[in-house]
Amino acid sequence: MSTLNHIATPAGLAPGNGYSHVVQGEGRIVAISGQVSLDADGKVVGEGDPTAQAEQVFANLQRCLDEAGATFAQVAKFTFFVTDLAVMPALRAVRDRYLDPQRLPACSAVQVAGLVRPELLIEIEALAVLPSGATRP
């Protein structure tokens, strides 16, 4: 069960496009470094294909959350780094398979000149909040 309170649109703000303006919670913080579309062998998955890269990135995020004893429902904040904002529809379509669209995290999207390897299109970091007594399984 999530310990987060999502405030999609505070009074006086325009609705967000695919994110909550505010997510508040109390508990244990889990910070996940930026994940890219590398497989377990360090090979790029989906070169040139934003959907395939987003799928691998979210699979990697899932692995990180699992290791911390967390779920996507406990993610309070995402930061998306993309080399071209045109990949955002593909990224959001994949994201929406992992998250409840009625309880989306806070989110920032930043277009960058490049990522750690030139064939990478997407990097996502996450911040999750677990209940205070939650421990890794």
Side-chain angles (χ1 to χ4, degrees):
M1 180 171 157
S2 175
T3 60
L4 303 178
N5 178 31
H6 294 75
I7 304 168
T9 308
L13 293 181
N17 181 13
Y19 62 91
S20 295
H21 279 283
V22 179
V23 178
Q24 62 185 17
E26 184 176 318
R28 184 170 59 90
I29 302 294
V30 175
I32 299 176
S33 293
Q35 298 298 305
V36 294
S37 64
L38 297 179
D39 65 14
D41 296 321
K43 296 180 182 155
V44 174
V45 173
E47 187 170 347
D49 181 344
T51 299
Q53 287 202 17
E55 288 170 354
Q56 182 66 39
V57 169
F58 274 91
N60 290 347
L61 287 166
Q62 178 75 66
R63 289 178 185 95
C64 293
L65 289 164
D66 288 347
E67 189 66 25
T71 69
F72 277 104
Q74 294 165 316
V75 172
K77 173 83 165 74
F78 280 130
T79 304
F80 299 152
F81 301 96
V82 297
T83 57
D84 185 342
L85 290 172
V87 307
M88 290 302 294
L91 190 158
R92 285 186 184 123
V94 172
R95 178 210 57 195
D96 289 349
R97 293 198 317 259
Y98 285 85
L99 285 99
D100 176 351
Q102 300 305 310
R103 296 181 52 80
L104 293 173
C107 187
S108 298
V110 181
Q111 182 172 328
V112 296
L115 296 169
V116 68
R117 290 174 53 175
E119 61 270 42
L120 296 172
L121 305 173
I122 299 166
E123 181 172 337
I124 301 175
E125 61 184 29
L127 183 67
V129 179
L130 282 66
S132 295
T135 59
R136 188 180 171 277

